[in-house]
């Protein structure tokens, strides 16, 4: 929430509402995102893996990462969320480092001016590794997301129930060529081959993941069609007009009813961040020229399409659930 001054004596509240846009469910280089006070026991409550490139959490700053002091939360305004790099910058601006906290208290005098709501309203970044894993059901091939976090300074490594090894939040998964580890032997073979996997309850295989992103189309020309784009491009994009002027340039590549946007290059040299804009059945689409594939780390045998979702587990919003339902009804 920010305040806009429309008159010298009046300040009206104005809430920023982000545009509906999907996120990839699996990602690399995750960082631990914590919530709640951390008391003198140094035990951090259940946490998530956060995508460091998204503005979904607050900083958690200390004089040094090894300092056993009470960490502070800084912001430009109450409720601000930043990327992990943004958290590092905010800490540095206040003479501190982004930390893996020892202790946090819901008290402005102890944990800084932006700590209000630390127990329920937001998550905070921690300078700690986090692994986004996949849980595979042998019978169906459906998968669920599991998070593994770096232990806190008390040795505990708690995660939220919806991303724990016992989660049952499975979803349909599009495996490459329809092949997936379908029994315990397949999971054991992955382990024997060097993959970082474990058999869970004799029915599931939980593995570390690696994500590979690539461009779907290297070029665009008049031979392409809207139907082809809707079939091959599975990741949504933000309207290019919302970016700063000069970020994207529109290209006329001869595709009827389609405008291509690129940050550099022309129709003969598209990148994975190029965007195709089109209208289908009176609905506007912005489609990213990207194919994101999730691989089981340490193995070349299994991979699947990286699913997208509107809801961010670290920073969920009710409006994102509405977007999710609308997308399902439109599919």
């Amino acid at each position: 929430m920010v305040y806009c001054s429309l008159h010298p004596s009046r300040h009206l509240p104005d809430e920023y509402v982000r545009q509906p846009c999907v996120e990839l469910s699996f990602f690399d280089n995750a960082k631990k995102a914590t919530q709640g006070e951390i008391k003198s026991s140094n035990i951090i409550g259940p946490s998530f893996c956060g995508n460091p490139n998204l503005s979904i959490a607050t900083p958690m700053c200390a004089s040094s990462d090894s300092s056993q002091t009470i960490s502070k939360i800084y912001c430009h305004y109450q409720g601000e969320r930043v990327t992990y790099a943004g958290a590092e910058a905010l800490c540095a601006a206040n003479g501190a480092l982004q930390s893996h906290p020892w202790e946090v208290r819901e008290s402005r005098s102890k944990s800084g001016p932006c700590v209000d709501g630390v127990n329920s309203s937001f998550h905070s970044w921690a300078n700690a590794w986090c692994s986004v894993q996949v849980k595979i059901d042998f019978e169906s091939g459906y998968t669920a997301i599991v998070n593994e976090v770096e232990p806190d300074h008390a040795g505990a490594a708690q995660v939220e129930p919806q991303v724990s090894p016992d989660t049952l939040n499975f979803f349909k998964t599009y495996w490459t060529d329809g092949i997936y580890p379908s029994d315990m032997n397949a999971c054991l073979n992955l382990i024997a081959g060097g993959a970082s996997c474990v058999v869970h309850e004799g029915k599931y295989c939980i593995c570390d993941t690696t994500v590979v992103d690539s461009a779907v189309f290297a070029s665009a020309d008049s031979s392409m069609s809207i139907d082809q784009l809707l079939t091959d491009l599975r990741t949504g994009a933000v309207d290019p007009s919302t970016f700063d002027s000069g970020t994207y340039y529109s290209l006329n590549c001869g595709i009827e009813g389609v405008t291509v946007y690129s940050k550099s290059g022309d129709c003969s040299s598209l990148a994975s961040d190029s965007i195709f804009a089109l209208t289908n059945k009176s609905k506007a689409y912005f489609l990213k020229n990207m194919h994101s594939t999730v691989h089981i780390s340490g193995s070349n045998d299994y991979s699947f399409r990286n699913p997208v979702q509107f809801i961010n587990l670290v920073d969920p919003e009710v409006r994102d659930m509405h977007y999710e339902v609308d997308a399902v009804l439109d599919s």
Side-chain angles (χ1 to χ4, degrees):
M1 185 79 71
V2 296
Y3 284 85
C4 299
S5 180
L6 303 179
H7 185 275
S9 63
R10 296 179 183 177
H11 295 275
L12 299 178
D14 186 28
E15 181 183 7
Y16 166 73
V17 178
R18 66 173 180 264
Q19 293 294 306
C21 191
V22 294
E23 302 172 5
L24 294 168
S25 299
F26 293 84
F27 46 89
D28 294 335
N29 304 313
K31 284 291 186 179
K32 186 176 179 179
T34 72
Q35 186 177 66
E37 286 187 297
I38 306 170
K39 300 189 176 179
S40 56
S41 63
N42 305 139
I43 295 175
I44 296 177
S47 304
F48 283 113
C49 289
N51 187 332
N53 299 316
L54 300 180
S55 298
I56 54 176
T58 74
M60 186 71 76
C61 310
S63 56
S64 72
D65 198 40
S66 60
S67 175
Q68 298 183 36
T69 57
I70 298 177
S71 293
K72 297 182 182 295
I73 298 176
Y74 296 104
C75 62
H76 295 104
Y77 56 88
Q78 294 293 332
E80 181 184 23
R81 312 289 197 271
V82 294
T83 64
Y84 188 81
E88 291 180 312
L90 263 175
C91 290
N94 288 276
L97 296 174
Q98 169 60 39
S99 69
H100 190 190
W102 290 76
E103 191 172 346
V104 178
R105 295 302 180 96
E106 193 170 18
S107 165
R108 290 191 179 192
S109 63
K110 293 181 178 180
S111 287
C114 305
V115 74
D116 294 353
V118 69
N119 284 316
S120 60
S121 298
F122 57 81
H123 282 75
S124 299
W125 292 114
N127 184 14
W129 60 261
C130 200
S131 176
V132 182
Q133 301 175 315
V134 61
K135 180 178 181 179
I136 307 156
D137 177 55
F138 291 147
E139 183 176 352
S140 66
Y142 282 25
T143 62
I145 299 170
V146 171
N147 289 175
E148 181 183 15
V149 299
E150 180 178 338
D152 57 32
H153 296 294
Q158 302 181 68
V159 297
E160 294 285 358
Q162 56 264 55
V163 290
S164 76
D166 295 326
T167 181
L168 295 177
N169 294 328
F170 288 98
F171 47 84
K172 185 175 182 178
T173 305
Y174 295 89
W175 291 89
T176 304
D177 298 325
I179 301 172
Y180 65 91
S182 57
D183 55 37
M184 187 184 299
N185 286 334
C187 190
L188 292 174
N189 287 337
L190 280 169
I191 297 169
S196 181
C197 299
V198 295
V199 176
H200 185 71
E201 297 180 342
K203 299 185 294 184
Y204 313 105
C205 194
I206 298 177
C207 301
D208 287 347
T209 61
T210 303
V211 177
V212 176
D213 297 333
S214 59
V216 178
F217 299 108
S219 60
D221 57 46
S222 59
S223 66
M224 301 169 70
S225 66
I226 287 178
D227 286 343
Q228 179 185 6
L229 296 175
L230 290 172
T231 299
D232 294 343
L233 300 178
R234 311 300 300 185
T235 304
V238 176
D239 184 343
S241 66
T242 63
F243 289 87
D244 291 340
S245 177
T247 302
Y248 275 94
Y249 300 91
S250 62
L251 305 173
N252 183 0
C253 299
I255 311 172
E256 185 176 355
V258 177
T259 301
V260 181
Y261 292 88
S262 177
K263 289 184 176 180
S264 61
D266 52 30
C267 296
S268 64
S269 57
L270 301 181
S272 60
D273 58 7
S274 299
I275 297 172
F276 291 79
L278 57 94
T279 300
N280 184 56
K281 297 180 180 178
S282 302
K283 183 175 180 178
Y285 287 82
F286 299 96
L287 303 174
K288 197 170 185 179
N289 184 39
M290 184 181 74
H291 182 74
S292 184
T293 304
V294 182
H295 297 262
I296 293 178
S297 298
S299 171
N300 294 320
D301 295 332
Y302 305 105
S303 62
F304 58 90
R305 190 176 79 202
N306 199 349
V308 295
Q309 58 187 15
F310 285 94
I311 300 168
N312 188 286
L313 296 178
V314 176
D315 192 27
E317 293 279 0
V318 173
R319 67 176 67 96
D320 292 333
M321 179 60 76
H322 293 308
Y323 298 149
E324 193 84 34
V325 172
D326 287 344
V328 171
L329 294 176
D330 288 341
S331 63

